[in-house]
Amino acid sequence: TDYALLVFDWDGTLVDSIARIVDSMKAAARETALPERDDTRIKGIIGLGLPEAIASLYPEVGDPALVERFRCAYSEHYLAQEAQPSRLFPGVAEAMVHFREAGFRLAVATGKSRRGL
């Protein structure tokens, strides 16, 4: 089959951002006085949009204002870390150049907002 478009996941596939996501979730929990979830549980929500991720980690939280404070705390912490962008995994940049030169269109599929990406 000939493909014209290649779509890649971002976190954990192209970039090594998992530790930043885990750290940011834990920081948001501390800032909002919610219990910190363990690394494995947080890694399990990677790929979800932030509202879905928060709902998955904290299904017991019904207060929309608290959810919004958590979302803001997470976003601020994550974006502050991204002042130094997450590293691409080894070989990713070269592979993207190769795919582009081979005539493929490239895209990213992510649950991140455009700002987060």
Side-chain angles (χ1 to χ4, degrees):
T1 305
D2 291 315
Y3 297 100
L5 172 67
L6 302 178
V7 181
F8 297 90
D9 179 51
W10 187 251
D11 293 306
T13 302
L14 297 179
V15 297
D16 188 5
S17 57
I18 294 172
R20 288 181 181 192
I21 293 169
V22 170
D23 183 57
S24 297
M25 282 291 177
K26 288 182 176 187
R30 288 189 300 274
E31 289 179 29
T32 57
L34 288 171
E36 282 187 30
R37 301 303 190 211
D38 66 43
D39 292 11
T40 301
R41 191 158 174 198
I42 295 170
K43 289 176 185 177
I45 57 85
I46 294 174
L48 297 176
L50 191 50
E52 294 81 14
I54 296 168
S56 178
L57 290 173
Y58 298 98
E60 71 280 8
V61 176
D63 179 3
L66 178 55
V67 171
E68 179 61 14
R69 284 196 316 273
F70 186 99
R71 187 196 66 74
C72 288
Y74 170 85
S75 295
E76 288 173 16
H77 190 78
Y78 186 87
L79 291 173
Q81 290 185 77
E82 281 294 297
Q84 175 65 41
S86 295
R87 292 181 328 226
L88 293 171
F89 282 111
V92 167
E94 297 83 1
M96 295 299 118
V97 168
H98 170 77
F99 292 142
R100 176 60 88 182
E101 289 175 351
F104 292 103
R105 295 184 67 201
L106 306 174
V108 171
T110 182
K112 287 187 179 310
S113 67
R114 192 172 285 273
R115 182 177 175 222
L117 180 62

